[in-house]
Amino acid sequence: MPYVTEDNLTDVVMERWKDIPDPRLRRIMQSLIRHLHGFVRDIEPTQAEWAAAIDWLTRTGKLCSEKRQEFVLASDVLGVSMLVDTINHRRPSAATPNTVEGPFHVPNAPAMADGGNMAQGAPGIPCFVTGKVHGLDGEPIAGAVLDLWQTDGEGLYEDQRDVKGPWMRGLYRTQADGSYVIRTVAPIAYTIPMDGTVGELMERTDISHMRPAHIHFAISAPGYHGLVTHLFQRGDEYIENDVVYAVKEPLIVDFVKRPPGKAPSGEMMATPFYEVKYDFVLAKRVEALAAAE
Ligand code: BEZ
Ligand code: FE
C-alpha cells in the first residue's frame, strides 16, 4: 500500500473499501467516499471549520428523540427528503404526485363519517374538501381510506397543542362512486421548528423557513399504489419557496370563499366557509411499477 499524499488519499481509501461483500453496501460506500472527499477537496475546510461541523452534527443528534427528528429536518431543508421521495414514487404523469410525509403524522386517526368534522373545537375558518378518488382509467375507487392531518387555523398541529385526544386529523372512506366529503378548518402557513440546529443554520441565510398552508393526505386502496401527499392553498405567500420543497403544481388548489348558507355536506353554515374540490388519481400497483422502470 502506498503511503498517503494529498493526491492519492481518495484512491487509497477507495481501494480499501472496494471489496465489501454486500454489493449494495459496496456501491453506497464507494459513492459516499467519492462525493465526501470531493466535497472536502472543494471547500478545503480549516481545522476549526471541520470541528464546527462535527459539533453541529453532534448537537443535531442530541436533539433527536421520540418526539423530534432534527436530522430529518436537516434532510428536509436541503431538499434531500423530497429527492428520496421523488425517486421512490415515480408514477404515470396522470397520477396524483407524492410529497414528503413530514413529522406530524400520528397513526390511528379517528374514523369520520362522510362529511364529518375533523376540526371539532379547533380555531379557524370552516373548510369543506370534496371530490373523488379514482384510477388512471377514471374508474371510481370505493372504500379508499383518506387519512388526513393538518394544522388548525392558528398553524398548530396536535403535537404542538396541549390537548388530550385527536386534534386536526381524521380517517375518511370514499363512497361507492369514489366520492368523499371532509369538513375541517382552513390551515395556515407555518414555520418549521427553528429552536434547534437547523434553525441556527437557517438564521444565517435569507432562506424562508415557512411552509405554505397545506392539508396532508395519506390515501390507500387495495390494488393501488399508496399515496402520501398534500394539497396547497393557491395564492399562499410561501407557495413559491416552501422550505421543504414539497410543492408540485398539480397539488395547488383553490380555496374558494363561500358566503353563509348550504355547505357541501348539506349542513347550513351561519358563517362564511371555504370550499376545495379535488380528485385524487391513484395508479394501480402494476402501473406504478411500469413507470418506475
Ligand atoms: C410538515 O408539513 O408537516 C413538515 C414537513 C417537513 C418538515 C417540517 C414539517
Ligand atoms: Fe405540514
Side-chain angles (χ1 to χ4, degrees), residues 157 190 211 214 216:
Y157 282 95
Y190 63 88
R211 298 223 58 210
H214 59 269
H216 293 264

Side-chain angles (χ1 to χ4, degrees), residues 271-286:
T271 58
F273 59 89
Y274 283 110
E275 188 175 354
V276 174
K277 291 185 177 161
Y278 198 80
D279 289 347
F280 292 94
V281 185
L282 304 189
K284 286 211 173 107
R285 284 193 178 274
V286 278

Side-chain angles (χ1 to χ4, degrees), residues 123-142:
I125 300 170
C127 177
F128 292 85
V129 187
T130 68
K132 286 192 172 180
V133 179
H134 62 77
L136 282 168
D137 295 328
E139 73 280 12
I141 306 178

Side-chain angles (χ1 to χ4, degrees), residues 72-73 76-77 81 100-105 149 151 157 190-193 211-212 214 216 230 232 242-244 246:
V72 173
L73 194 58
D76 293 339
V77 303
S81 303
V100 280
E101 181 174 308
F104 293 113
H105 179 252
W149 68 105
T151 67
Y157 282 95
Y190 63 88
T191 175
I192 55 162
R211 298 223 58 210
H214 59 269
H216 293 264
H230 313 15
F232 294 93
D242 177 12
V243 61
V244 307

Side-chain angles (χ1 to χ4, degrees), residues 51-288:
I54 300 290
D55 177 58
W56 187 88
L57 290 167
T58 306
R59 288 185 295 115
T60 300
K62 285 183 178 166
L63 277 176
C64 296
S65 67
E66 293 261 295
K67 288 241 159 205
R68 177 165 189 161
Q69 234 307 343
E70 197 76 0
F71 276 122
V72 173
L73 194 58
S75 138
D76 293 339
V77 303
L78 295 175
V80 177
S81 303
M82 266 312 285
L83 188 56
V84 173
D85 187 87
T86 307
I87 288 168
N88 282 279
H89 298 96
R90 295 179 182 132
R91 304 262 166 81
S93 58
T96 305
N98 225 77
T99 58
V100 280
E101 181 174 308
F104 293 113
H105 179 252
V106 181
N108 305 318
M112 310 296 300
D114 199 42
N117 184 3
M118 63 172 239
Q120 290 281 1
I125 300 170
C127 177
F128 292 85
V129 187
T130 68
K132 286 192 172 180
V133 179
H134 62 77
L136 282 168
D137 295 328
E139 73 280 12
I141 306 178
V145 175
L146 293 88
D147 183 355
L148 274 80
W149 68 105
Q150 61 164 99
T151 67
D152 56 38
E154 292 174 350
L156 296 176
Y157 282 95
E158 178 174 305
D159 265 8
Q160 300 166 317
R161 284 260 179 218
D162 191 15
V163 284
K164 286 218 160 49
W167 183 257
M168 298 306 302
R169 54 198 180 92
L171 276 188
Y172 294 82
R173 243 172 220 284
T174 53
Q175 306 299 294
D177 62 353
S179 68
Y180 68 86
V181 179
I182 289 153
R183 178 172 173 179
T184 179
V185 293
I188 62 166
Y190 63 88
T191 175
I192 55 162
M194 287 291 285
D195 58 346
T197 46
V198 172
E200 179 186 307
L201 181 62
M202 298 297 287
E203 296 285 12
R204 294 182 61 180
T205 74
D206 290 332
I207 300 168
S208 163
H209 48 88
M210 298 297 289
R211 298 223 58 210
H214 59 269
I215 304 173
H216 293 264
F217 291 80
I219 304 181
S220 53
Y224 290 85
H225 209 68
L227 172 68
V228 176
T229 197
H230 313 15
L231 292 184
F232 294 93
Q233 183 171 15
R234 193 184 309 285
D236 186 286
E237 178 182 354
Y238 304 103
I239 203 85
E240 302 273 316
N241 54 5
D242 177 12
V243 61
V244 307
Y245 306 92
V247 180
K248 295 180 177 180
E249 214 280 327
L251 302 175
I252 303 174
V253 293
D254 292 313
F255 279 57
V256 180
K257 195 83 171 270
R258 303 278 187 217
K262 195 171 176 190
S265 58
E267 63 202 291
M268 291 304 288
M269 302 298 290
T271 58
F273 59 89
Y274 283 110
E275 188 175 354
V276 174
K277 291 185 177 161
Y278 198 80
D279 289 347
F280 292 94
V281 185
L282 304 189
K284 286 211 173 107
R285 284 193 178 274
V286 278
E287 289 163 349

